[in-house]
Amino acid sequence: MPQGILVDYEWCSGCHSCEMACAVETTHADFPEGHCGVKIHEEGIYQIGEDAWTDINMPVFTDLCDLCAKRMAEGGAEPTCVKHCQAHVLKFGEVEELAKDLAAKPKQVLYCLKG
């Protein structure tokens, strides 16, 4: 069954821990310098109403993400980005199961990744 990562954008703080974990995990991989499997896209803080503001931080998974194939083959329970997510907004699993969680809550995105 295909696996993926569910991202809850409502609670992502933009801490970059997923990005850093991926960069460390893939230090010896054949990724181009400065690139990794996940990057934080920051929209920044802006006003969305008279007394309402938002700060948008979005982990975006790149084509380089292989769901930590080497790590998983060596017995890892989850990709390193999920393990090190400070806000616990990344969830790893079977796409079919993650899709159920996706349907239950807004402001989430499901990445179906090669792995």
Side-chain angles (χ1 to χ4, degrees), residues 15-84:
C15 71
H16 295 266
S17 61
C18 58
E19 205 175 73
M20 294 301 296
C22 183
V24 169
E25 183 81 19
T26 59
T27 300
H28 303 290
D30 290 71
F31 289 0
E33 187 175 329
H35 295 272
C36 63
V38 60
K39 291 285 189 178
I40 298 294
H41 173 76
E42 299 175 6
E43 283 292 310
I45 299 172
Y46 58 92
Q47 194 167 7
I48 58 172
E50 188 174 319
D51 293 319
W53 294 77
T54 189
D55 184 12
I56 304 294
N57 298 287
M58 301 180 297
V60 177
F61 289 84
T62 72
D63 287 343
L64 296 175
C65 179
D66 65 358
L67 295 171
C68 292
K70 181 179 177 194
R71 172 189 177 81
M72 300 300 281
E74 293 171 352
E78 58 195 4
T80 195
C81 61
V82 176
K83 177 181 173 138
H84 294 286

Side-chain angles (χ1 to χ4, degrees), residues 89-111:
V89 301
L90 302 178
K91 186 175 183 180
F92 171 72
E94 301 292 333
V95 169
E96 194 172 295
E97 290 300 312
L98 294 174
K100 293 175 188 174
D101 292 341
L102 175 65
K105 184 178 183 294
K107 290 187 82 172
Q108 296 188 105
V109 170
L110 176 56
Y111 286 91

